[in-house]
Amino acid sequence: MLNLSTPMPIEERLKAISNYAVIFALVVIVAGFAIAAPSFLTGANLYNLILNNVVMLAIVAIAMTIVVSSGGIDLSVGVSVDMASMAFIMLLKAGVFVGTALFAGIGAALVVGLINAILITRLRISPFLATLGILFIGQSVQKIASGGGKPVYLANAKFAPTFNAIVKSEVLGIPTPMLILAAIAIAVYVLLHKSVFGRYIRALGAQPGVAWYSGIRVPFHTSLVYIIAAGLCGVTGILLSSTVKSYVPLSGDGYLLDAIGACFIGTTISAQRRPSVLGTLIGVLLLAVTRNGLLLVGWNFYWQQVGIGLLVFAVLALSFGLRGRGH
Amino acid sequence: MTMTIAAETAAKPARARGALRRQGTLVLRLGALAMFALIMAWFAFTTRGFVSPANIFNVIEQTAVMGVLSFGMAVVLIGGGTDVQTGGIDLSIAANTGLCAAVYATLLAGGSGDLAAAAAAIGTGIAVGLLNAFAVVRLGILPLLATLAVMNIVAGLELTVTENQVIGANSTVTQLIATGRFLGLSVLAWIFILFSALMTWAIHYSRIGLRLYAVGGHPEAARAAGINVGAYVAGTYAFSGFCAGFAAILLVARLSASTTATGQLLLAILAAALLGTVFSRRFVPTAGGTILSTLFIGFLANGFQLSNVSYYWVNGVQGVLILMVVAVTTFAKPQGK
C-alpha cells in the first residue's frame, strides 16, 4: 500500500532504518557471540560454520527465493534434496560411474520440479497444495525405497576419494562447496535481478494478472521456476550425501522451515518487502550464526530452539514494527 | 486484484474448452465430493468392516483431535485470506498443542486438580495465540513468518518442559474423555460432533462468522463497513490457540500421556484445512469443507489400516488423492491461481 499522506520525516526515517534491522541484528549477534564465546570468532569455527551449516541451507533458501519471487511457495524442497541424494548414493553403490550418478542425482531432483510444474501450471493446483502433496508423496516414496527409512551408508574406503573430491577439495585455496554456493548465488542473482526472465518472474509475483496481460507466458515461466528451484535443491542433496557419506531418508525435510524463514527474513531488507538473493543470504547467516553461537555459549538443544525463535521474532518485530502496520 | 482477474476472465476468448467448462461447472464443483464418495465406496466394497457403525465411530473418535485443530486453522484462514504468502496461517498450532499437552500432563502428573490443569492448558494455548495475534496485528509481521518464529519458540519450550520425554497422566476427566460413553457414543465422538455443530453455527449462521468472511475476503471493505478488522484477525489467532489447548486435553486423555511428536501434526492440519477449501464454491474454508476433509483424511488412514497396506504407502497415497481431489475441483475454477 502506498502512503499518500504528506510524508512525515520521522516516520520515513524509521522506515528506512527498518530495512537495515536484520543487518543490524546480525552485526550485534556476531559481536555478542564474539565476546561471550571466545572460540566463536576463530578461523576454524567460522570455516566449519560456513561449510557445514551455511552452504547447503543457503542453496535451498536461494531456490526458495526464486519460487517466492514468482508468488508461489515450494514445500517440497526437502523432497528434491532427498531424491538427489538417494539417486546419487544408490547409483554409486550399484557401481555406476561418478559423473553419471551426479547427473542422475540432479536429474532426480529436476523430476520433482517438473512434477510440481505440471501440477501447478497444467492442473492449476495452488502451489501450496501441489507442493504439500508432493511432500507427502516424496516421504512415502523414500520410506518404500529404503524399507521404512533405513539409511544407505557408503562408508568404505572405495568411495572416500569421490566424496572428498566433492566436499573436501579446494580450488585456489577456497573449498569447493563454497565456490559452488558463490557460483549459484551469483547466477541466481543475475537471473532474478538482472535478466528479462527474472523481470518476468518478479512480475508474476507482484501482479499475476498484469503479467498475463503483458503477454508473459505465465505457465512456461512458472514451470521453469519450480524446475530450477528443484535442480538447485538437488545440488544440496549431492553435497549433503557427500558430507555424511550416506543417504539418510527424509533428511532434506529439515531445510524446509529454515529456508522459508531465511527467505522471508531476507525480504525485510527491501522497502517493498520483496525477496532477494542478498536478503536470503543474510537470513541464512542470521539463522546459522545464532545456532552455532548458542551452541558455543553452552545452551542445550532445547533452549537453542527457543533462542532462535525469540531472535527471529525480535528481528521481525523490529523490522515490521518500525515500519508501521504491514497491511 | 479481484477485479483484474474477473475482467481477464471475461476478456478471455471463449474457447471450446471454456464453454465445456461452464456447462460442466456444476458437476465439477461437486468433483471433490464425488471423489470422496468414490474412494469411500471403494473401501466399503473391498475392505471388510469398513462400513460397520463401530468402525465409523472409531474413525470419528480418532479424528476428534485433528478436527478441533483443523477448525482452528480454518478460522485463521478465513480471517486472514488464503493467499499463499501473505494470507492468514498459523504454523505454530501443532507445536502449541504439544506445549499445552506438556503443561497439562505435567500438572496432572504433579497432582494438580483437573480444573486447574485444564485451565492452565487452555490458558497456555490462548497465550501463544495472543502472541501470534500481537505479532500479526500490532507489529504487522506476515502471518507465515510470525507464526514460524512462534512455532520455534513454542517447540523449544515444550522440549524444556518435557525434556523430550513422554509424560504419563491420568485423572477422572481424562478417563471420562477416553472411555466414557453417552447414548451409545463415546465422549470423544460427542465432542467432535458438538464442536463441529457449534463451529458450523459460528462460521455460517452467526454475525461473527459473516464479518469474519468479510475481513478475510476484503479487509478494506470490511473496515469501511465499520468492522474492527484488527480485533477480528487477532481473535482468529487467539481462537486457534484455544483450539490447540482444547485439542491438547483430548490428546492427553486419549493417549493417557503427552507425546513428543505433536509438532509433526502441522502438515496434516494444513492439508485438512486447505483441502476443505476445495469443497466450497468460492474456494474459501467452510465448516462443512473442514469437517469433510478431516473425515476424509481420517477415513483414508483407517481404510489403509484395515486393508493391511504398509504404512510406508499411506502418506503417499494420501498425497496423490489430495492432489487428485484438488485437481478435479480446480478444473472448475475460472482462473488458474
Side-chain angles (χ1 to χ4, degrees):
Chain A
M1 250 334 104
L2 274 170
N3 187 5
L4 294 176
S5 58
T6 43
M8 281 177 282
I10 294 172
E11 211 171 82
E12 292 301 314
R13 215 170 298 156
L14 279 179
K15 276 185 187 174
I17 295 172
S18 77
N19 296 344
Y20 300 108
V22 65
I23 298 170
F24 177 70
L26 185 61
V27 171
V28 169
I29 289 159
V30 169
F33 282 133
I35 297 165
S39 56
F40 175 75
L41 217 56
T42 57
N45 181 54
L46 291 182
Y47 184 85
N48 281 328
L49 169 69
I50 292 178
L51 213 53
N52 295 329
N53 301 19
V54 171
V55 170
M56 288 180 265
L57 173 60
I59 296 175
V60 177
I62 287 173
M64 186 65 82
T65 307
I66 305 176
V67 178
V68 171
S69 300
S70 78
I73 198 155
D74 188 353
L75 301 184
S76 67
V77 283
V79 174
S80 305
V81 170
D82 287 331
M83 285 299 148
S85 167
M86 181 167 89
F88 179 59
I89 290 293
M90 286 189 169
L91 286 176
L92 275 187
K93 198 180 181 193
V96 172
F97 175 64
V98 181
T100 321
L102 271 176
F103 274 108
I106 303 290
L110 290 175
V111 169
V112 177
L114 185 66
I115 297 172
N116 282 332
I118 292 171
L119 291 174
I120 293 163
T121 61
R122 293 284 142 211
L123 300 179
R124 300 189 301 157
I125 300 174
S126 78
F128 211 116
L129 278 175
T131 55
L132 183 66
I134 293 302
L135 171 60
F136 282 155
I137 296 168
Q139 288 177 341
S140 219
V141 167
Q142 292 183 60
K143 280 184 198 155
I144 296 162
S146 62
K150 285 192 275 297
V152 180
Y153 294 107
L154 290 185
N156 50 0
K158 189 180 141 202
F159 297 106
T162 310
F163 293 138
N164 285 340
I166 296 170
V167 287
K168 293 261 167 67
S169 63
E170 294 184 345
V171 180
L172 300 175
I174 306 168
T176 317
M178 288 187 199
L179 283 177
I180 294 175
L181 171 61
I184 287 176
I186 292 168
V188 174
Y189 173 79
V190 172
L191 185 76
L192 212 52
H193 303 290
K194 301 286 170 204
S195 77
V196 178
F197 178 72
R199 212 161 56 224
Y200 286 173
I201 292 177
R202 283 180 292 124
L204 283 179
Q207 282 282 11
V210 174
W212 190 83
Y213 265 136
S214 314
I216 297 175
R217 287 177 295 161
V218 176
F220 173 75
H221 288 96
T222 307
S223 299
L224 274 184
V225 162
Y226 286 90
I227 294 170
I228 294 172
L232 290 178
C233 295
V235 175
T236 288
I238 305 283
L239 291 175
L240 176 65
S241 48
S242 302
T243 305
V244 298
K245 298 182 171 57
S246 59
Y247 156 61
V248 185
L250 309 186
S251 55
D253 290 351
Y255 291 111
L256 173 62
L257 291 175
D258 275 359
I260 293 178
C263 175
F264 279 94
I265 288 170
T267 62
T268 60
I269 69 161
S270 111
Q272 291 85 30
R273 297 292 182 262
R274 296 271 157 71
S276 65
V277 174
L278 183 67
T280 299
L281 287 176
I282 292 171
V284 170
L285 274 180
L286 188 74
L287 292 176
V289 162
T290 311
R291 203 158 280 161
N292 176 262
L294 289 177
L295 186 78
L296 291 180
V297 173
W299 285 27
N300 73 15
F301 176 74
Y302 312 148
W303 282 106
Q304 277 177 45
Q305 207 168 351
V306 180
I308 287 184
L310 284 174
L311 171 85
V312 172
F313 193 88
V315 170
L316 294 174
L318 201 62
S319 167
F320 282 83
L322 284 179
R323 207 166 164 255
R325 290 190 38 173
H327 37 240
Chain B
M1 190 69 178
T2 325
M3 275 182 60
T4 12
I5 291 174
E8 190 181 295
T9 318
K12 230 175 176 174
R15 296 184 203 123
R17 209 174 82 181
L20 182 78
R21 193 179 293 154
R22 265 196 302 281
Q23 280 175 2
T25 296
L26 189 70
V27 182
L28 284 169
R29 197 192 291 158
L30 303 172
L33 215 52
M35 281 295 289
F36 184 33
L38 211 68
I39 292 160
M40 290 305 109
W42 185 74
F43 275 129
F45 282 112
T46 58
T47 312
R48 271 172 73 94
F50 184 74
V51 279
S52 67
N55 185 53
I56 289 171
F57 286 114
N58 177 31
V59 173
I60 292 177
E61 224 177 280
Q62 288 173 350
T63 316
V65 171
M66 278 297 299
V68 170
L69 292 173
S70 303
F71 267 118
M73 185 70 88
V75 164
V76 172
L77 289 173
I78 293 172
T82 47
D83 184 277
V84 174
Q85 291 176 1
T86 58
I89 195 167
D90 185 359
L91 295 179
S92 68
I93 190 168
N96 191 3
T97 308
L99 177 65
C100 295
V103 167
Y104 186 58
T106 309
L107 285 179
L108 282 185
S112 293
D114 273 317
L115 199 67
I122 289 182
T124 308
I126 293 178
V128 173
L130 287 176
L131 180 62
N132 284 324
F134 173 73
V136 172
V137 178
R138 277 275 152 233
L139 300 176
I141 306 176
L142 282 181
L144 188 77
L145 264 183
T147 57
L148 184 68
V150 171
M151 182 193 89
N152 267 310
I153 300 173
V154 169
L157 284 177
E158 184 204 342
L159 287 170
T160 55
V161 171
T162 64
E163 309 222 294
N164 214 7
Q165 302 288 318
V166 171
I167 298 172
N170 242 320
S171 74
T172 41
V173 169
T174 62
Q175 283 290 334
L176 181 74
I177 295 173
T179 58
R181 300 189 81 78
F182 179 66
L183 294 179
L185 283 182
S186 71
V187 170
L188 267 174
W190 271 113
I191 288 175
F192 183 48
I193 292 166
L194 291 179
F195 189 76
S196 298
L198 191 69
M199 288 308 296
T200 309
W201 172 79
I203 292 176
H204 296 296
Y205 298 98
S206 78
R207 258 185 276 180
I208 292 178
L210 186 68
R211 288 177 183 165
L212 194 59
Y213 273 110
V215 166
H218 205 317
E220 297 303 318
R223 197 171 286 127
I227 298 176
N228 186 345
V229 172
Y232 270 83
V233 174
T236 62
Y237 289 96
F239 178 73
S240 132
F242 164 81
C243 287
F246 185 47
I249 294 173
L250 303 184
L251 193 74
V252 170
R254 231 171 77 79
L255 305 172
S256 302
S258 79
T259 64
T260 53
T262 321
Q264 289 165 14
L265 285 177
L266 174 64
L267 286 175
I269 297 165
L270 264 179
L274 286 170
L275 190 59
T277 63
V278 306
F279 289 102
S280 89
R281 197 161 28 129
R282 291 181 301 118
F283 299 98
V284 291
T286 57
T290 307
I291 297 167
L292 271 177
S293 58
T294 314
L295 284 176
F296 176 61
I297 291 174
F299 273 108
L300 268 182
N302 173 262
F304 285 126
Q305 249 167 32
L306 291 182
S307 39
N308 281 326
V309 176
S310 155
Y311 81 95
Y312 304 162
W313 289 84
V314 174
N315 264 354
V317 180
Q318 272 181 3
V320 171
L321 289 174
I322 288 171
L323 289 180
M324 275 165 68
V325 169
V326 180
V328 165
T329 315
T330 321
F331 198 67
K333 258 204 271 190
Q335 176 66 31
K337 299 256 162 86

